[in-house]
Structure formats: structure tokens, C-alpha cells
Amino acid sequence: MKKINVVQIGIGHDHAPMIFESLKKSTDFFDIKGYCLVDNEREKFAGLLTVFDGYEELNIDEVFADNCIDAVLVETEEEYLTKYALLAAKSGKHIHMDKPGGIGL
């Protein structure tokens, strides 16, 4: 079985670190290509970033331009979830997006 090449976008959601930890334990299914911090997450969530130790940090343009990345996990703050999920969809990536998908209808 071909592994799914994934990148996590964001760390700004309550359980975003646990999602990445789950990926790290699921090596039979996923090949983690890295992570991407957006919207000042490095400053806001500095204490959570150790979860990404040993993995490559990519910028958002690299994630969407890389055809070997099959899917992204969008784990940003609620107000940014839909923004990055739509960008991922437009770039042809499969998406895991946390709920509620935004702060309003």
C-alpha cells in the first residue's frame, strides 16, 4: 500500500499537537512531509512547537506547489480553517479539516 504524503498546516487548534502525534504513530499509512505555521502561530503557540521537532518546516506556497504531497491536515485557529482548506482544495490536495470550519456561517 502506498503511504499518504501529508503535511499539517497550523498548530492553533486545541488538539492540533495531538493530531500530529497521531500521524507520527501511524507510519504504516502516512509519510509526514513536514508542517507549516501560518498567521503568527510561531509567536502565539511557541510552547506547542516541540511536537514538530525533527520534521521539516515548509511555507504555505511550498505545500501547495509540491505535487508529491497528497493531503493536508488543517489545524489552524477556527477563523483560518476554511481559508486554508479552500486553498488546499484549489491546489488539488485532500483535506482533513477540524470543525467548526470557521467562526461564522
Side-chain angles (χ1 to χ4, degrees):
M1 176 175 83
K2 178 188 176 293
K3 292 183 183 182
I4 300 168
N5 295 321
V6 296
V7 170
Q8 181 164 312
I9 298 173
I11 189 94
H13 198 276
D14 295 9
H15 54 263
M18 288 153 292
I19 296 293
F20 201 76
E21 288 292 349
S22 292
L23 279 178
K24 293 193 297 191
K25 293 176 183 174
S26 300
T27 57
D28 288 346
F29 305 105
F30 300 106
D31 186 7
I32 302 171
K33 296 300 181 186
Y35 67 96
C36 177
L37 300 175
V38 293
D39 300 300
N40 300 313
E41 289 180 323
R42 179 174 309 290
E43 296 80 21
K44 289 182 190 178
F45 305 104
L48 302 177
L49 300 181
T50 58
V51 71
F52 296 132
D53 286 352
Y55 293 91
E56 183 178 3
E57 182 175 355
L58 306 167
N59 69 47
I60 200 70
D61 294 327
E62 291 172 318
V63 172
F64 295 143
D66 189 336
N67 290 330
C68 87
I69 297 171
D70 302 309
V72 297
L73 291 84
V74 183
E75 289 291 333
T76 65
E77 292 179 277
E78 284 88 354
E79 64 187 292
Y80 305 117
L81 287 168
T82 302
K83 171 185 173 180
Y84 292 105
L86 285 172
L87 288 170
K90 288 177 181 177
S91 72
K93 309 293 184 217
H94 295 277
I95 303 161
H96 159 89
M97 183 177 84
D98 201 6
K99 58 187 179 304
I103 56 174
L105 293 176

